[in-house]
Amino acid sequence: MNVHVRRNITLTATVLMAVAGLSVFAQAPAPSASLPADQATRGKVVFEARCSECHDGGIMGPELWGSPFVAEWKGKSLRSLFDLVMKTMPADNPGTLNEKDGLDLVAYLLRVNGIASMASLDSPAALDSMTFTSQQ
């Protein structure tokens, strides 16, 4: 085999492995610092305990971050997201999240999707006037 062909094969394999490695890291986005940290951090704990089995990596349920998720919820009220989560999740035991966990989870979803907000999500009624957009 020609030296140039081997170099090209090696370079191609290296690039493919690097891209594959980046996609693994991209699956768990780093939270932005926009929401009150304690609420989003509590939401992450809820996500990991109650949601990640189905939604981490989109294996059984859709991923809850990234372009498809943002496009689906852009401009919709945070109350509608909260209500959906509270009524239908987790799929194996719907309606079992308490209100605080649901609010914290919505804060986490905003945070990992880069939605800027300084407001604490302290009640479902407060979510009525807020939308899932790039700026709150």
Side-chain angles (χ1 to χ4, degrees):
M1 185 180 290
N2 181 322
V3 168
H4 295 290
V5 171
R6 266 190 286 177
R7 272 193 208 142
N8 285 341
I9 290 171
T10 302
L11 179 60
T12 301
T14 303
V15 168
L16 289 174
M17 288 188 317
V19 169
L22 288 175
S23 69
V24 168
F25 289 115
Q27 289 178 6
S32 69
S34 58
L35 278 165
D38 58 337
Q39 187 171 27
T41 300
R42 289 190 313 263
K44 181 180 181 184
V45 172
V46 173
F47 176 83
E48 289 172 348
R50 307 287 304 271
C51 312
S52 66
E53 184 177 329
C54 293
H55 291 284
D56 199 3
I59 295 168
M60 295 168 55
E63 286 187 330
L64 303 179
W65 50 75
S67 298
F69 184 79
V70 172
E72 173 70 26
W73 286 97
K74 186 174 183 175
K76 295 181 181 176
S77 78
L78 292 184
R79 179 64 181 257
S80 62
L81 177 59
F82 173 82
D83 287 345
L84 177 72
V85 167
M86 294 301 290
K87 291 175 186 172
T88 65
M89 295 293 132
D92 63 348
N93 201 3
T96 59
L97 288 174
N98 66 49
E99 185 176 282
K100 180 183 168 299
D101 286 348
L103 291 167
D104 292 347
L105 183 58
V106 169
Y108 173 69
L109 295 177
L110 290 173
R111 189 172 179 202
V112 298
N113 282 292
I115 308 300
S117 175
M118 294 311 291
S120 180
L121 309 179
D122 54 7
S123 76
L127 303 179
D128 289 335
S129 62
M130 301 171 129
T131 59
F132 195 98
T133 62
S134 59
Q135 296 294 315
Q136 291 285 327

